[in-house]
Structures are given as structure tokens and as C-alpha cells.
Amino acid sequence: MAKKQKSVYMCTECGNEYLSWQGQCSYCGSWNTIVEHKISDLREPSVDSRRRTGTEGRPVKLGSVGTSDYARMSSGIGELDRVLGGGIVLGSLVLISGEPGIGKSTLIAQSANSIASSYGTVLYVSGEESEEQVKLRADRVCAGSVSDNLYIYPETSIENILAVCGDMKPCFLIIDSIQTMYSSEVDSVAGSVTQIRACSNLLIKFAKTNNVPVFIVAHVTKSGELAGPKTIEHMVDCVLSFAGERDRDLRILRSFKNRFGTTDEIGAFRMTSEGMIEVSDLSGSLIENDSCEEGSVISAVYEGSRPVFFEIQALVTQANVGFARRTAVGINYNRLSMILAVLEKKAGLNLLNYDVYVNVVGGMNTGSTATDLAVALAIYSSFKGKTSSRRIVAVGEVGLTGHLRSIPNTEKIVQEAVRLGYEAVILPDRNARQSAESGKVNVSDSGRTVTVTPPGSDGSKGIRIIGASNIRDAIKAFIG
């Protein structure tokens, strides 16, 4: 029986579908981007690509559904396992994206070799490189010991790939990349929205029905967003993003979606000629110079299960021509504008005719409001030419009224500050009181300024917690 064909009108820019041809896409506003695609009906009513509970399609009470822990396999890379929530879940589909040359294929090659050595057959499908190119990379990043269970298959036809998987029965499948794959059942070029969606559907079906984890490498657009239809991110189980500065060797792996773990974890790597090397002490690697310098303040954010410390630098100079310039690297530009307005209104700083530059040292890109206070103090330090006499850490969110708002997980940040040898931590008042009352730190003094020692540490390794209710109090504590 021949497969049924249907026509779909789709915008090549955003992937929005229409029942008939239109001149302009009503979703993205592009003209002459809507084209017709003929798609085969690949649906098989008797086969479902998703896991079921054995209820044969009948509704059941949610409370009566049994649950169990998902079986996981280790990737052999601790930082990757951390981001995935403890390992790779069997039958899961993981999408990893990043800029060209950032190290996606290198990381996956190392993981594939480790899994092949520990679990069995691994199939690496390359649609962009030949066998020799992949082998050269594997020899470099796998220390010359490539597992006999690791197979390379340079192919772009998804039907041929699934046929080979049916014969080999791999325990792990890698597709590099999804933009190069195509299905002969779809009348469209490889990399188009329709092809990416069709190939992803077939890979999801394979992963779920065979309980085989699949890693998909995806390209990104000029703006850094994932190339292809947005529905792919909804379909897969985990979306990872690999990022870093080209002039630095630090790489950060983040999870934007994870059905089997948290999305707050990050993994840290260093790109070397021998491949990706895990960075276990991320705070120590980001802070190279923590001496008290003008315009420099140490801050911290809590990422997943660990606090990360880094240096925030600010430079305030007289504007010579035209309007004053504001530049933010590593922090949100709108947050910087808000902090400057608060400093002018609540701290009496006249920054109208001054250029302000703020940079997060080390290539980190922080989206947390916990760094607001450190940014404000760094700007104040550069503007006034004053520095702190102590090795100090500042964390807290700055409100429009000038008051400091509390942030989560400050107890763990304090404990990490003790380990790194800092003398004081400036916190919002509420966080300082919570630290004193939580019992997670041992208070050896009373009042707004307390000396604490994390349990289990040497009693001589104390640190001062300074509570500040507003930006003026924080400035006094910083320069005091």
C-alpha cells in the first residue's frame, strides 16, 4: 500500500505551517518564505514511539501508576554526568548545541570512547566528516587508545542509519549533526525545517522503542539560538549548550532542559590539544588575582550543586565626546543600566558624564541577580578610587529602592568563601540573619556583623558575615 502524501505550506525562516500559500508569514513577518512541502504519512497507529504503562490506551489513576528510578549509564566524564543529572538515561534523546569549533565533537568523541570501553557497541554517525577525520580526532583526544567497540559510520540517510542500528544493536548512538541528516520520504533538502523534524521523529522512535540513548549534535544560528524548528527542543529529553570564549580555553556546559534532572547544573572544561579536561575547582580557576584592587570585587553565584566565585571588574572614566558609553561583558546590559540609576539616586554618584565598563573576568556569563551588589561596589570603587582593606566577597540583589534583596543558598557560598580564604562576606540583612539562625554555621559573635565558622572546619578559619540593608550600608562595609 502506497504511503499517503500531503502538502504542507511552511515558512523557511521560522517553521510556521499554513493550510494554503500566503505571501507574508504572519509569525515572523518574512516575505516570500512560505513554500510547499510534500510529506509522507509515516504514522503507524499500532506502534507508539513513547513509553507506555501497559494500560493499552485506557486512562488510569495517576496515584496507581508505579514509578522507578531511570537506569543510567556513565559517560566516563564526571562534569557531563553532573549536568545530565547523574548519567545518561537509557532511551533518552540528548541534544547538544554550540558554536563551530567550541568542542562539541571532541567532548562527544571522548564520551563515546569511554562508553564503548565500559558498556559495549557504540555507533558514531558522522554526516560532516570522513572516517579518517574522525579517527584523527579520536587518536588525539583518546590518548591513542580507541576502543574496539567504537564504530564510525559516515552517512546522512536516516533510513540507512536506522537499518544499520537494527543489525548492530548499539548501546549508544551519536548523530553528528542533525542538520546533515535527511529522509527519503520527505520531499525537501537536508537541513530544512521539514527534514530536521522528520529525522528527529524517527530517532525518538528508535530511542524509545529500543531503550538506546541517542546524542544529537545541532548547529546554532548567528544569534546563538538552536538552528531548526523550536519543536525539536520540546521533543527531546535534554537540551545542552556548550559555550566559551574563543580566546580562552574555558568551556561551560549548561542544561536548558532536562526531564531527568535539574537545569541549574553547569559543567566546566578546559580545551587542550589532548581534548577536554574537567575543571573540578571552577572557582579557583576563575580567580587568578583576588588582591584588593581598585574597581575589582569578588562575587559568587550558586550553580546547581556548587557555588562559583569569579571577579567582577569595573572601569569608570570621563567621557570625552558625545554621550557617555556603557559596556557590559558577562552581565545583562539592562541590569547594569538599572544599577547605575540606583547608584546615582541612592548613593549620590553623578555618572552622567562618565563611561562605565563592566566585565566578568574568565569568560563567565552570569544571568543571576546575585551579582548586582558586586557590580555596584566595583563601579563605586573605580569612581571614587577606593578599595577594601580586606579580601571580601559581595553577593546580593539590588532593588530599585536601593535596598538589598535576599538570594538563595548563601550558607553554601559562605562555606566556599571560607575554603578559599576570604575574610568577609557582604550579604543582604535577611541572608545574614538566616545564616546566624540556620545552625549551618557556628556563630561566635552577635549583632549585624557576625563571625561564623562552617561546621567541620578548623575553628581558626572564621569569616565575617556583614549584613547590609541597602546600598549605602554595603558601601560603608566595603570600604570600612
Side-chain angles (χ1 to χ4, degrees):
M1 181 178 178
K3 293 182 173 65
K4 296 180 180 180
Q5 298 280 334
K6 66 176 182 178
S7 294
V8 174
Y9 294 90
M10 184 177 299
C11 176
T12 58
E13 290 292 330
C14 63
N16 200 37
E17 295 181 358
Y18 298 89
L19 297 178
S20 61
W21 186 89
Q22 299 182 23
Q24 182 184 22
C25 176
S26 59
Y27 183 75
C28 66
S30 301
W31 284 90
N32 300 323
T33 58
I34 300 176
V35 296
E36 180 182 5
H37 299 279
K38 292 188 178 297
I39 303 176
S40 299
D41 188 359
L42 301 178
R43 293 177 296 176
E44 300 178 17
S46 60
V47 179
D48 196 340
S49 63
R50 290 287 181 179
R51 296 187 182 93
R52 295 299 181 192
T53 59
T55 59
E56 298 181 355
R58 294 192 300 270
V60 297
K61 294 180 180 179
L62 182 61
S64 64
V65 178
T67 59
S68 60
D69 293 334
Y70 288 97
R72 297 178 184 265
M73 66 167 60
S74 173
S75 66
I77 302 175
E79 291 293 298
L80 178 58
D81 288 343
R82 176 202 292 268
V83 176
L84 291 173
I88 304 172
V89 175
L90 299 182
S92 64
L93 206 71
V94 179
L95 187 70
I96 180 170
S97 64
E99 294 183 356
I102 206 69
K104 303 184 298 297
S105 299
T106 299
L107 179 66
I108 290 178
Q110 291 180 247
S111 177
N113 187 63
S114 177
I115 293 174
S117 301
S118 303
Y119 295 95
T121 303
V122 173
L123 181 59
Y124 190 118
V125 179
S126 176
E128 301 176 347
E129 299 175 301
S130 65
E131 302 101 315
E132 292 79 9
Q133 289 175 305
V134 177
K135 180 59 164 57
L136 286 173
R137 181 190 297 114
D139 288 338
R140 175 172 56 85
V141 303
C142 299
S145 58
V146 180
S147 173
D148 291 336
N149 291 326
L150 179 56
Y151 291 81
I152 177 67
Y153 185 37
E155 180 58 71
T156 56
S157 171
I158 195 67
E159 286 83 7
N160 292 343
I161 293 170
L162 295 179
V164 169
C165 289
D167 296 334
M168 294 184 62
K169 300 187 184 311
C171 67
F172 186 50
L173 173 63
I174 297 170
I175 304 294
D176 188 4
S177 65
I178 189 63
Q179 276 79 12
T180 61
M181 300 295 120
Y182 75 93
S183 172
S184 59
E185 301 294 339
V186 178
D187 185 16
S188 182
V189 298
S192 65
V193 172
T194 310
Q195 283 285 7
I196 294 176
R197 181 179 299 172
C199 293
S200 299
N201 274 322
L202 292 174
L203 288 172
I204 289 175
K205 179 180 177 179
F206 168 77
K208 303 304 179 184
T209 55
N210 296 277
N211 208 30
V212 174
V214 179
F215 262 41
I216 298 177
V217 178
H219 297 164
V220 295
T221 62
K222 292 180 179 179
S223 60
E225 297 179 353
L226 190 66
K230 194 70 174 179
T231 52
I232 293 183
E233 298 182 50
H234 295 279
M235 293 158 58
V236 300
D237 297 307
C238 185
V239 179
L240 304 180
S241 176
F242 210 35
E245 299 293 336
R246 289 190 174 274
D247 58 342
R248 299 178 183 272
D249 58 0
L250 181 65
R251 301 289 187 268
I252 300 296
L253 182 67
R254 293 181 181 271
S255 173
F256 291 130
K257 173 188 176 181
N258 192 352
R259 288 182 176 144
F260 311 109
T262 179
T263 57
D264 296 329
E265 285 285 6
I266 64 171
F269 302 87
R270 287 202 179 278
M271 172 71 96
T272 66
S273 59
E274 292 79 24
M276 292 293 173
I277 298 178
E278 300 177 60
V279 178
S280 56
D281 185 12
L282 182 56
S283 298
S285 64
L286 288 174
I287 302 175
E288 297 181 358
N289 181 20
D290 57 358
S291 60
C292 302
E293 294 183 344
E294 181 182 310
S296 173
V297 178
I298 303 298
S299 188
V301 294
Y302 196 78
E303 296 279 3
S305 59
R306 61 182 177 184
V308 179
F309 283 59
F310 45 83
E311 179 185 359
I312 293 181
Q313 293 180 345
L315 177 63
V316 181
T317 61
Q318 184 76 40
N320 295 322
V321 179
F323 294 101
R325 184 176 182 181
R326 278 84 168 92
T327 302
V329 178
I331 66 170
N332 185 274
Y333 179 81
N334 293 329
R335 296 296 300 181
L336 173 60
S337 300
M338 186 207 74
I339 293 170
L340 291 174
V342 172
L343 286 173
E344 290 190 8
K345 180 72 173 181
K346 302 298 179 180
L349 270 65
N350 186 7
L351 300 170
L352 180 62
N353 298 318
Y354 288 85
D355 294 334
V356 179
Y357 304 86
V358 176
N359 176 45
V360 180
V361 180
M364 281 287 293
N365 193 348
T366 66
S368 174
T369 58
T371 60
D372 287 356
L373 180 57
V375 172
L377 294 178
I379 294 172
Y380 180 89
S381 173
S382 178
F383 181 74
K384 293 292 187 180
K386 297 181 179 180
T387 61
S388 176
S389 59
R390 299 168 292 184
R391 298 180 67 245
I392 201 166
V393 179
V395 290
E397 178 182 348
V398 176
L400 289 176
T401 61
H403 284 79
L404 302 185
R405 299 177 59 85
S406 60
I407 60 172
N409 300 307
T410 52
E411 294 87 358
K412 296 177 181 178
I413 291 177
V414 170
Q415 294 179 17
E416 180 71 3
V418 172
R419 186 187 73 82
L420 295 174
Y422 288 97
E423 302 175 44
V425 179
I426 301 177
L427 298 176
D429 250 346
R430 185 176 179 181
N431 285 130
R433 291 194 299 268
Q434 289 175 346
S435 297
E437 297 170 358
S438 64
K440 296 181 180 179
V441 292
N442 301 322
V443 180
S444 60
D445 197 355
S446 60
R448 173 175 292 181
T449 303
V450 297
T451 302
V452 299
T453 305
S457 65
D458 185 358
S460 61
K461 296 181 180 179
I463 188 170
R464 299 183 66 196
I465 291 184
I466 306 174
S469 61
N470 53 56
I471 189 67
R472 287 184 178 273
D473 290 343
I475 291 174
K476 292 178 182 178
F478 177 73
I479 63 176

